[in-house]
Amino acid sequence: MALYDDFSWFYNRYWNEDFHSLAFPILERIWLPRIPEDGRVLDVCCGTGYLAGLLSARGLHVTGIDASPGMIAHARENVPAAEFHIADASAFRVPGRYDGAVSTFDSLNHILETKALDRVFLRVAKALKPGAPFVFDILLESAYRTNWADAFSVVRDDHVLLITGTGFDFRTKLAQCRITMFRLIEGEWRRSDTEVQERCYSTLEIDSALSRAGFESTSYYDARDLGMSGQLGQGRTFVVTTRKRLKTPAPC
């Protein structure tokens, strides 16, 4: 996911606070009560570390992983108290076991194949203690039907950002947007272009993948029912699941 390196500066500046100001109260309600006060938490696809900072401020020991060196560079600068690693979500390995895991801002929709999603869930399961909770949010089809043909822009004296949604393919379940970025650096305007794809998964596909990876007791929460209003909440679902507990052997 090297394409996010060019985007990391804009992401760090514009995207973190707006989303997590709405998402964090949801995590406080459906996930954080199950995490020990000084617990170890894994932030999967951590971006530039905004959520890791909120969790660290709670006294939690946070490890963040992201495939983008640019995102991780910002995260290390933003949250010195946390630990960050450049790693693919479908192939990472971390020492020890964690009391909980989290992945936010529809990060898992960026996993474009079911087999790759299986690998992500398997890696998360292996990193968790038995009985530990994993929470993530994911966009369902209604979000892609309504939001992915929109355009968005930011124009400032020293930078410009243009995002244009190119729609949703109902056959492949893929959505795509084009991102054009300009930054004024050392007196020269520099341009960078990229395309971002997301995959729409059904709840049945998510259930099946979680079960195959070793999760159980999965619950789904409509983001709007939990207070996330506006476009950010449209079609967004928070999923809480649990790493299967070890079975106690029956007495002889």
Side-chain angles (χ1 to χ4, degrees):
M1 293 189 179
L3 63 90
Y4 288 97
D5 292 349
D6 292 335
F7 188 50
S8 61
W9 186 88
F10 285 92
Y11 185 95
N12 187 58
R13 182 160 184 153
Y14 288 108
W15 267 264
N16 277 315
E17 187 171 358
D18 286 350
F19 177 80
H20 285 105
S21 65
L22 298 174
F24 196 68
I26 294 175
L27 300 182
E28 289 180 308
R29 179 175 173 182
I30 65 175
W31 176 70
L32 273 172
R34 296 177 59 185
I35 306 297
E37 288 186 3
D38 62 346
R40 300 180 71 224
V41 171
L42 180 65
D43 187 354
V44 180
C45 306
C46 64
T48 58
Y50 193 88
L51 176 60
L54 296 176
L55 295 172
S56 294
R58 289 291 192 93
L60 298 173
H61 304 282
V62 184
T63 299
I65 63 162
D66 200 286
S68 162
M71 293 286 193
I72 291 296
H74 282 290
R76 288 170 175 162
E77 182 177 345
N78 293 337
V79 195
E83 179 181 341
F84 296 99
H85 300 282
I86 301 168
D88 190 299
S90 65
F92 72 91
R93 284 176 170 78
V94 288
R97 292 292 180 265
Y98 288 80
D99 298 295
V102 59
S103 185
T104 56
F105 215 166
D106 49 277
S107 292
L108 298 187
N109 287 107
H110 293 258
I111 309 299
L112 302 182
E113 297 179 356
T114 303
K115 289 183 178 180
L117 188 65
D118 280 343
R119 293 194 295 271
V120 172
F121 287 158
L122 182 61
R123 296 317 312 169
V124 174
K126 287 183 177 296
L128 289 175
K129 297 176 181 178
F134 174 34
V135 63
F136 57 94
D137 67 276
I138 200 156
L139 294 180
L140 301 180
E141 188 168 306
S142 61
Y144 296 108
R145 286 177 179 270
T146 56
N147 297 339
W148 276 69
D150 294 344
F152 172 80
S153 64
V154 173
V155 180
R156 300 291 185 267
D157 290 342
D158 61 351
H159 60 273
V160 176
L161 172 68
L162 305 171
I163 300 178
T164 305
T166 56
F168 177 61
D169 187 322
F170 291 92
R171 180 180 58 85
T172 64
K173 301 299 182 182
L174 293 177
Q176 183 171 289
C177 70
R178 295 191 181 96
I179 302 175
T180 300
M181 297 158 279
F182 296 89
R183 290 181 65 193
L184 184 61
I185 300 175
E186 297 180 352
E188 294 185 1
W189 282 99
R190 300 185 185 180
R191 173 174 174 164
S192 179
D193 296 271
T194 192
E195 292 186 351
V196 173
Q197 284 187 312
E198 290 196 11
R199 165 77 184 273
C200 174
Y201 291 97
S202 68
T203 55
L204 178 59
E205 289 175 310
I206 296 166
D207 273 338
S208 298
L210 287 170
S211 179
R212 288 192 293 269
F215 288 97
E216 62 184 0
S217 304
T218 301
S219 299
Y220 293 82
Y221 302 88
D222 189 312
R224 293 168 299 181
D225 293 339
L226 296 175
M228 183 175 280
S229 58
Q231 190 178 71
L232 284 173
Q234 174 66 39
R236 188 179 304 275
T237 292
F238 282 80
V239 183
V240 183
T241 191
T242 302
R243 177 70 171 97
K244 286 183 179 178
R245 295 168 175 82
L246 297 177
K247 293 183 179 180
T248 303
C252 298

